[in-house]
Amino acid sequence: MPTEEGRPDWSDRSLGGRIRVALWLYEQVGEGQRFRKQDMREAIPGVEQIDRRMRDLRPAGWIIKTYRDMASLSPDELFLETIGAHVWEPGKRSTGLRTVSGRLRREVMDRDHHRCVRCGISSGEEYPEEPGSSARLTLGHINAHAYGASAAAENLVTECARCNETAKQLTPVQFTADHVRDQVRELSKREKTNLLSWMALDRRPMSKAEQVWAHYRQLPGVEREGLRRELARMLGSEEED
């Protein structure tokens, strides 16, 4: 049955999983509040891949952060920072839905060396200015983020979740143009030249070592440790056990 405000009831099993999750978050959690995945699963049982249904809300403007984005969260907690499009409304039910296959996702991330093309961070790396907050990679559109935009590889780039969000969520304190201009003036001529080339491309090209680093970050921990020790031996600086 609809609520008094005319919204569908999140417990209505005839609704799609994405809509039920959105309604539950809207009514039972609310913006600026934490919740647990287990609470969501218990409230909406029987929905296949319910975590994915929740993630499907992000392209519709919903900002849901995990412990990888906020150091204060525990692994089983999430934080509903922003409620996006009301996808339960008839005219908005397809908002944000774009089909990006697993193959296309891998193709784009492999092309971008599994690194955010905006800030250069790799998956799982800690933001230098935000100790305790690690990067999570996602896909973003090259053109303005409008729903229904092409999901072809040439219109997609790898971005960290922070860069993918609106400028309002980029950093806790926003830099002004004057602040950045002062930083530019402090750079050497070579650094200014590099920066200008990055501005022209709207991305920072990777060196060969950075490309290897990005691929190295995708390996399991045991394999990373093995490679680290192998490189140390190559350089004649093998650490003592």
Side-chain angles (χ1 to χ4, degrees):
M1 292 179 60
T3 63
E4 292 181 2
E5 294 79 9
R7 290 187 303 276
D9 188 336
W10 58 266
S11 63
D12 185 349
R13 292 176 179 267
S14 69
L15 298 172
R18 178 172 179 253
I19 293 174
R20 292 183 67 190
V21 169
L23 287 165
W24 182 80
L25 291 172
Y26 183 89
E27 296 177 8
Q28 302 297 312
V29 179
E31 279 190 351
Q33 300 300 318
R34 301 181 182 206
F35 65 99
R36 296 186 310 140
K37 290 182 181 179
Q38 187 59 33
D39 294 335
M40 180 175 65
R41 295 188 187 109
E42 291 175 358
I44 313 174
V47 174
E48 187 176 352
Q49 295 184 312
I50 193 169
D51 290 3
R52 183 170 182 177
R53 301 290 80 79
M54 179 186 65
R55 292 195 298 271
D56 287 344
L57 291 170
R58 287 180 171 133
W62 293 65
I63 299 175
I64 304 169
K65 294 192 171 181
T66 72
Y67 73 97
R68 294 186 178 90
D69 308 307
M70 293 176 60
S72 61
L73 295 175
S74 62
D76 66 335
E77 282 187 313
L78 298 112
F79 180 75
L80 179 56
E81 181 169 294
T82 302
I83 290 174
H86 293 181
V87 296
W88 54 84
E89 296 178 3
K92 298 180 181 178
R93 294 198 172 190
S94 62
T95 302
L97 287 178
R98 298 185 298 271
T99 301
V100 178
S101 67
R103 181 197 59 77
L104 180 57
R105 182 178 296 275
R106 288 192 299 273
E107 177 185 339
V108 174
M109 288 196 172
D110 286 347
R111 181 200 66 200
D112 296 334
H113 304 289
H114 295 269
R115 189 193 71 163
C116 176
V117 301
R118 307 301 180 194
C119 69
I121 200 164
S122 297
S123 178
E125 283 191 294
E126 189 175 90
Y127 290 105
E129 69 279 19
E130 292 183 41
S133 294
S134 300
R136 174 175 52 82
L137 296 183
T138 185
L139 296 185
H141 278 71
I142 294 174
N143 297 319
H145 187 84
Y147 303 127
S150 170
E154 58 270 18
N155 195 41
L156 294 170
V157 291
T158 303
E159 296 175 334
C160 68
R162 192 180 71 173
C163 288
N164 186 254
E165 293 171 3
T166 60
K168 182 179 179 181
Q169 281 82 38
L170 282 179
T171 55
V173 179
Q174 291 297 300
F175 291 114
T176 66
D178 286 339
H179 183 99
V180 177
R181 189 176 293 109
D182 288 343
Q183 291 180 317
V184 170
R185 289 186 178 126
E186 294 174 0
L187 299 176
S188 67
K189 183 175 181 180
R190 180 177 180 181
E191 289 172 326
K192 288 175 182 174
T193 300
N194 289 337
L195 179 61
L196 181 60
S197 68
W198 300 346
M199 289 177 173
L201 292 171
D202 195 29
R203 63 191 297 172
R204 179 167 66 89
M206 299 176 79
S207 68
K208 288 185 177 180
E210 288 173 320
Q211 291 178 26
V212 175
W213 165 256
H215 294 158
Y216 162 84
R217 289 289 303 174
Q218 307 309 306
L219 297 173
V222 173
E223 294 187 15
R224 289 203 305 270
E225 176 62 15
L227 273 176
R228 184 189 65 79
R229 298 180 72 86
E230 185 176 341
L231 179 57
R233 286 196 297 272
M234 290 180 191
L235 296 173
S237 58
E238 173 66 1
E239 301 173 358
E240 296 292 335
D241 292 331

